[in-house]
Amino acid sequence: MEDGITLFGSFTSSSTYKPMLYLALARLPFSFRTVNLKLGVQKAPEHLARNRYGQVPVLHHRGLTIVQSNVILDYLARTTGHFEGRTEQECWTAREWLSWEADAITNVAKVRHYSRFRSVDPAVMAYFRPLAEAAIGFVDKALAGRDWLVGEAPTIADIGCWGRMVFMAEGGLDIARWPNVEAWSRRLAAMPGFALPYDLIPKKDTEVAPA
């Protein structure tokens, strides 16, 4: 239905996990349509008609097509009212975190990708790993003495940043090195609807209707 939410994504994608986690925590029903990255479905004409970049995720809602995971989080927060900041300043600060995430925490995804899916010259990993560690360290410092990245409640900043960092172990990055991040991850995990990526993202098309 035009008014319903449809999310196109992939089982192994951290970019897919971010809006999936939002929808799960917000307890919103939606349709999931899988895009098999291993088979190259993201480059097929049908998918390119949805996403010119040949990537996932893609959100369909109310006749609109939205791509890029952090833009989708912004859109969902605006349209559903969940996980927005409580003040205008908090709303903008949460979006600043999403912009920074796309530049900095994405290095965690690169380290994970090069560790699990694609072999690269050690010099490449030697370049990206310190950047990933610095990004996690920055978040750890920001969380000192506070529960959430923005304000007194979880926002799209927490969902967007954790949604990429959740795969850090697959890149050999031990969360125990960053105690504030580890405590933050436990607070997120305690929220109703939370699940880790491989428990949350379906491997096939499905209808999701939270209880």
Side-chain angles (χ1 to χ4, degrees):
M1 296 186 300
E2 282 291 294
D3 197 49
I5 296 171
T6 301
L7 182 69
F8 295 81
S10 171
F11 179 67
T12 59
S13 164
S14 58
S15 294
T16 296
Y17 179 59
K18 290 192 283 182
M20 283 284 299
L21 181 59
Y22 179 100
L23 294 167
L25 294 175
R27 314 302 285 163
L28 294 172
F30 65 99
S31 301
F32 183 79
R33 299 292 177 261
T34 189
V35 179
N36 193 317
L37 303 182
K38 187 175 182 180
L39 297 180
V41 174
Q42 72 276 21
K43 302 300 183 182
E46 182 179 6
H47 188 71
L48 289 173
R50 302 184 195 103
N51 186 331
R52 67 185 69 84
Y53 309 111
Q55 299 172 338
V56 292
V58 177
L59 185 86
H60 282 176
H61 185 228
R62 296 177 180 171
L64 298 174
T65 299
I66 313 292
V67 303
Q68 299 295 314
S69 60
N70 288 337
V71 177
I72 292 172
L73 289 179
D74 183 354
Y75 173 81
L76 288 171
R78 290 172 190 260
T79 56
T80 74
H82 298 281
F83 306 114
E84 271 282 29
R86 296 181 177 179
T87 66
E88 185 176 7
Q89 181 62 67
E90 287 184 5
C91 290
W92 286 113
T93 301
R95 285 156 177 82
E96 290 168 6
W97 273 104
L98 293 182
S99 180
W100 177 82
E101 183 278 326
D103 182 59
I105 300 179
T106 191
N107 291 299
V108 175
K110 287 184 170 65
V111 169
R112 178 244 186 172
H113 183 78
Y114 297 146
S115 296
R116 181 175 176 189
F117 300 110
R118 178 184 172 193
S119 297
V120 293
D121 188 289
V124 174
M125 190 66 87
Y127 174 79
F128 283 111
R129 186 174 294 278
L131 295 176
E133 292 173 339
I136 301 169
F138 186 87
V139 175
D140 192 72
K141 184 177 179 180
L143 287 165
R146 58 185 306 120
D147 289 341
W148 309 106
L149 290 173
V150 179
E152 302 300 322
T155 67
I156 51 175
D158 301 284
I159 294 170
C161 291
W162 172 250
R164 190 82 71 191
M165 293 164 64
V166 67
F167 287 109
M168 67 174 73
E170 292 186 9
L173 299 163
D174 183 1
I175 195 172
R177 293 173 54 193
W178 298 279
N180 295 326
V181 168
E182 187 173 30
W184 172 60
S185 74
R186 290 196 296 267
R187 287 189 289 274
L188 283 162
M191 295 174 63
F194 179 91
L196 291 170
Y198 299 130
D199 298 321
L200 184 62
I201 305 175
K203 292 184 179 179
K204 59 183 180 180
D205 295 355
T206 190
E207 305 301 313
V208 180

